[in-house]
Amino acid sequence: MRLTADGTTPNSRLVLVDVLETDDGYAFEPARPFFLAAGDRIAFENDGLVVVRTSGKQLSPSGNRSTRCRPGVLRDRGGPRATAPKG
């Protein structure tokens, strides 16, 4: 499911979060999976995640933010490499 992490767009339904990946190649992996309720808003701030509940309460789940493969960059998956024909 695609979520908008701008801090103002409310979540449309109940979602179990175990990893959040961004379009610019980052990911946030919480220490423990958690639920976002309908109406919750999320944002990335200071290398962490902030969840604003519909009540206004703010949560900052512990976890790790990391860099993933950036768009347009190919990863070597360890398979055979293509070679030009000899001869």
Side-chain angles (χ1 to χ4, degrees), residues 15-32:
V15 176
L16 176 63
V17 176
D18 59 353
V19 174
L20 291 170
E21 294 184 7
T22 66
D23 289 339
D24 58 355
Y26 293 97
F28 179 80
E29 189 169 350
R32 295 183 332 192

Side-chain angles (χ1 to χ4, degrees), residues 10-11 16 18 20 22-23 27 29 44-45 47 50 53 58-59 67 76 78:
N11 186 33
L16 176 63
D18 59 353
L20 291 170
T22 66
D23 289 339
E29 189 169 350
F44 288 104
E45 296 178 5
D47 289 335
V50 175
R53 300 286 188 194
Q58 290 189 359
L59 306 172
T67 303
D76 179 14

Side-chain angles (χ1 to χ4, degrees), residues 30-82:
R32 295 183 332 192
F34 65 93
F35 283 100
L36 287 175
D40 286 354
R41 295 171 283 139
I42 59 173
F44 288 104
E45 296 178 5
N46 300 324
D47 289 335
L49 181 71
V50 175
V51 178
V52 180
R53 300 286 188 194
T54 55
S55 66
K57 182 178 179 180
Q58 290 189 359
L59 306 172
S60 295
S62 61
N64 295 314
R65 189 166 182 195
S66 61
T67 303
R68 298 266 171 115
C69 183
R70 298 211 181 253
V73 176
L74 299 176
R75 277 194 231 181
D76 179 14
R77 297 181 188 250
R81 296 180 188 269

